[in-house]
């Protein structure tokens, strides 16, 4: 165990500054600590890629839900309880053998928080936002996703009004799998379109 008195705090300078600011704002009654805890709980436990993976797995196993999702993603996703800011107007796009979908926000970082959580750093970066539009196949290859030349790539530009969720192709050899088992194959990146769904035996957990 470290001796904090001897070696000092293990918290970074930025973390210490944030905590100091939080303390000051709390003492002045500008913020409610309970509200902060609620926000932290939301983004740690209630929103994130696990929600999107559930949506995809259900679409893979329930044809009626898949049809509903492609027709009215906002309502279909809301039926599973995944609602909230940045998820009010959802569109689901489906990958096939001949078409692969990729999502970007060229203006900023619009992102479907209720089903994917907070966006990764690279999604917000200027190089991704500009290059994936001009050279999607090349950018995907840099992510390790090399597609056949016969597969077309469509880039969807998210806006403040519309957010996209990619339904990746269901991996082979998963017949009879439960929704829970299938959801474990669905990654955040596969729902953005920069990766494919994992194959059986490829999951890290």
């Amino acid at each position: 165990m470290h001796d904090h008195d001897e070696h000092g705090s293990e918290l970074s300078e930025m973390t210490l500054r944030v905590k100091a600011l939080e303390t000051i704002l709390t003492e002045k009654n500008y913020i409610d600590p309970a509200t902060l805890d609620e926000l932290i709980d939301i983004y740690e436990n209630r929103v994130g890629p696990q929600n999107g993976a559930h949506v995809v797995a259900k679409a893979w196993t329930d044809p009626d839900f898949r049809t509903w999702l492609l027709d009215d993603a906002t309502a279909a996703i809301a039926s599973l309880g995944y609602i909230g800011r940045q998820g009010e107007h959802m569109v689901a796009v489906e990958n096939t053998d001949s078409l692969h979908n990729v999502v970007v926000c060229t203006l900023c970082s619009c992102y479907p928080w209720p089903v994917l959580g907070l966006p990764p750093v690279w999604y917000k970066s200027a190089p991704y936002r500009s290059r994936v539009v001009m050279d999607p196949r090349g950018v995907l290859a840099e992510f390790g996703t090399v597609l056949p030349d016969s597969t077309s790539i469509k880039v969807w530009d998210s806006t403040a009004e519309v957010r996209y969720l990619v339904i990746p192709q269901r991996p082979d050899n998963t017949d009879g799998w439960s929704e829970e088992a299938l959801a474990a194959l669905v990654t955040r990146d596969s729902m953005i379109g920069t990766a494919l769904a994992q194959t059986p035996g490829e999951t890290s957990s």
Side-chain angles (χ1 to χ4, degrees):
M1 176 178 291
H2 296 287
D3 185 340
H4 288 215
D5 292 331
E6 181 178 351
H7 298 290
S9 173
E10 293 182 342
L11 299 177
S12 68
E13 182 178 351
M14 180 60 71
T15 300
L16 290 172
R17 288 184 178 183
V18 170
K19 286 185 170 294
L21 179 61
E22 179 183 335
T23 299
I24 293 172
L25 293 175
T26 300
E27 289 176 350
K28 291 182 177 295
N29 293 321
Y30 290 150
I31 60 174
D32 179 1
T35 301
L36 287 180
D37 289 343
E38 174 75 5
L39 289 171
I40 291 171
D41 181 63
I42 287 173
Y43 288 103
E44 283 189 343
N45 303 307
R46 286 186 260 165
V47 304
Q50 72 276 9
N51 295 350
H54 179 201
V55 173
V56 170
K58 188 166 184 63
W60 283 346
T61 57
D62 183 338
D64 290 338
F65 181 80
R66 172 185 166 276
T67 299
W68 187 15
L69 182 64
L70 292 173
D71 182 58
D72 185 352
T74 305
I77 292 171
S79 75
L80 299 179
Y82 307 136
I83 58 177
R85 288 188 62 213
Q86 316 300 327
E88 299 92 342
H89 305 289
M90 293 291 305
V91 171
V93 291
E94 185 177 43
N95 288 347
T96 66
D97 287 339
S98 59
L99 176 66
H100 185 90
N101 298 283
V102 184
V103 181
V104 67
C105 176
T106 55
L107 290 178
C108 47
S109 58
C110 295
Y111 195 73
W113 292 359
V115 285
L116 292 186
L118 298 176
V121 172
W122 57 259
Y123 183 84
K124 298 181 284 186
S125 70
Y128 174 76
R129 288 157 42 201
S130 59
R131 291 186 57 232
V132 76
V133 176
M134 297 184 292
D135 179 22
R137 195 175 297 274
V139 170
L140 291 181
E142 292 174 11
F143 275 92
T145 302
V146 179
L147 300 173
D149 291 340
S150 58
T151 301
S152 299
I153 301 174
K154 186 165 185 175
V155 179
W156 298 86
D157 194 358
S158 292
T159 68
E161 287 76 33
V162 179
R163 312 297 166 94
Y164 297 93
L165 178 72
V166 174
I167 307 172
Q169 286 186 281
R170 179 172 175 166
D172 294 334
N173 304 315
T174 58
D175 291 345
W177 282 38
S178 67
E179 280 186 18
E180 182 179 8
L182 288 169
L185 301 176
V186 183
T187 65
R188 175 199 66 196
D189 290 4
S190 71
M191 293 181 282
I192 299 174
T194 54
L196 307 178
Q198 294 184 307
T199 57
E202 194 178 17
T203 53
S204 57
S205 59

